[in-house]
Amino acid sequence: MENLRTNFQIALDGVDPNIIPKKKLRTGDEMPAIGLGTFGSDRFTADEISDAVLGAISVGYRHIDCASVYENEKEIGEAFEIAMKNGVKREDLWINSKVWNDMHGDGDVLLSVAQTLKDLKLEYLDLYLIHWPFPNYHAPGCSVDSRSENARPYIHEEFMKTWRQMERLVDMGLVKNIGTSNMTQAKMELLLRDARIKPAVNEMEQHPHFQQQEFFEFCLKNDIQPIGFCPIGSPTRPDRDKTEKDTVDIEDPVIVAAAKRLGVHPAVVCIKWAVQRGQVPIPFSVRRNEFLSNIKCVTENPLTDEEMEAISKIDKNCRLIKGQVFLWKDNQTWEDLWDLDGNIEQ
């Protein structure tokens, strides 16, 4: 895709961005119903991911999901600059980013967004998220059993101090919408109770084998739009996040059967399911044929009601991104991060 850097143009075989469905948020802003994820730093270089962003914009993507911890925002900013110099309007792009765990302190959120805006070469973000509800720092690429000596549990008063800074970003015009990521229903109930500006979005793991139906419905009921990461089961997720008990969505017989009927890769079925169900998937790929088929599939040949019903019954409660590195005391398991009994672990 090197030629796009020197000769960017809209691809003739791409998708008209105007036919991509949109989701209206509580603010009235409309977010494209599929985006491109950019977390691939364990397997791909920042330049490869930047090239993928440029290629994705060329074929019709207008929603790009970024984060400071992915260590590629500066390179992605170069892709945005090229696209916008060649006719793509800023107001037609929907760009997310996230504040990392080591920037939750007083004044740090503003510093974080300022760096992100500088790196992405933007004047504002459409959406800014708190990446994890814990201030527990871990270096990118750390091992799964890594633990921070300063790690601590979710403390609502601390989280709200961070959220107040997020609200100020909206007041300042630096960010149009704010939201959360990797939250639980118990934590979200407290945030909804205390927030001046309520979250417009919650980014959460969602794929056919991990549907989070109860929390998904809770978000929709409270006018919080779910964005689903790992929408096809994240086969390229870091090795440290893989366990022997993990299941593989794209090998599920129900997914495979729908793919066979449509003559597509099973990954495409997972993305169709996500959009038709109502979440916004953000599949990651650096391969043009993959990210092109991922966006095309939401505009054609929908799954049948029977297929949607069948997929609703294959949930295996298989969380792939478990967050072990955020544990804060001995003899804990990753389940302690997710408030499975409705109580926030202390």
Side-chain angles (χ1 to χ4, degrees), residues 4 13 65 139 205:
L4 286 178
D13 60 346
D65 181 85
E205 181 178 335

Side-chain angles (χ1 to χ4, degrees), residues 271-290:
I271 293 166
K272 285 180 181 288
W273 168 80
V275 173
Q276 289 179 229
R277 183 186 186 223
Q279 68 236 33
V280 174
I282 46 170
F284 166 76
S285 178
V286 298
R287 299 178 180 90
R288 187 180 191 276
N289 65 306
E290 292 177 355

Side-chain angles (χ1 to χ4, degrees), residues 98-221:
K98 311 175 192 80
V99 58
W100 187 237
N101 306 0
D102 59 340
M103 297 297 281
H104 284 204
D106 191 32
D108 287 344
V109 175
L110 179 58
L111 293 174
S112 178
V113 81
Q115 186 64 53
T116 280
L117 289 170
K118 179 182 178 183
D119 289 344
L120 294 178
K121 303 182 186 296
L122 302 173
E123 293 183 354
Y124 69 90
L125 291 171
D126 298 279
L127 176 64
Y128 199 48
L129 309 176
I130 298 180
H131 205 146
W132 286 85
F134 306 101
N136 303 343
Y137 175 73
H138 284 281
C142 66
S143 67
V144 74
D145 55 0
S146 177
R147 299 289 180 269
S148 168
E149 61 182 16
N150 299 315
R152 53 190 186 275
Y154 177 86
I155 299 169
H156 183 62
E157 293 73 19
E158 288 188 5
F159 186 83
M160 286 309 302
K161 288 179 182 178
T162 308
W163 189 257
R164 296 298 178 218
Q165 296 180 70
M166 300 285 283
E167 293 172 329
R168 287 200 291 275
L169 300 183
V170 178
D171 297 339
M172 297 167 70
L174 297 174
V175 170
K176 303 238 178 186
N177 298 271
I178 52 177
T180 54
S181 178
N182 297 299
M183 284 286 268
T184 65
Q185 185 168 324
K187 297 181 181 80
M188 188 69 83
E189 286 171 351
L190 294 177
L191 176 57
L192 288 170
R193 182 193 71 189
D194 295 342
R196 173 172 64 87
I197 300 177
K198 291 181 168 42
V201 158
N202 181 55
E203 193 164 301
M204 55 201 285
E205 181 178 335
Q206 290 195 297
H207 44 93
H209 283 182
F210 191 65
Q211 300 184 20
Q212 296 207 73
Q213 186 66 28
E214 183 179 347
F215 190 29
F216 175 72
E217 291 177 359
F218 174 88
C219 287
L220 293 180
K221 179 182 176 183

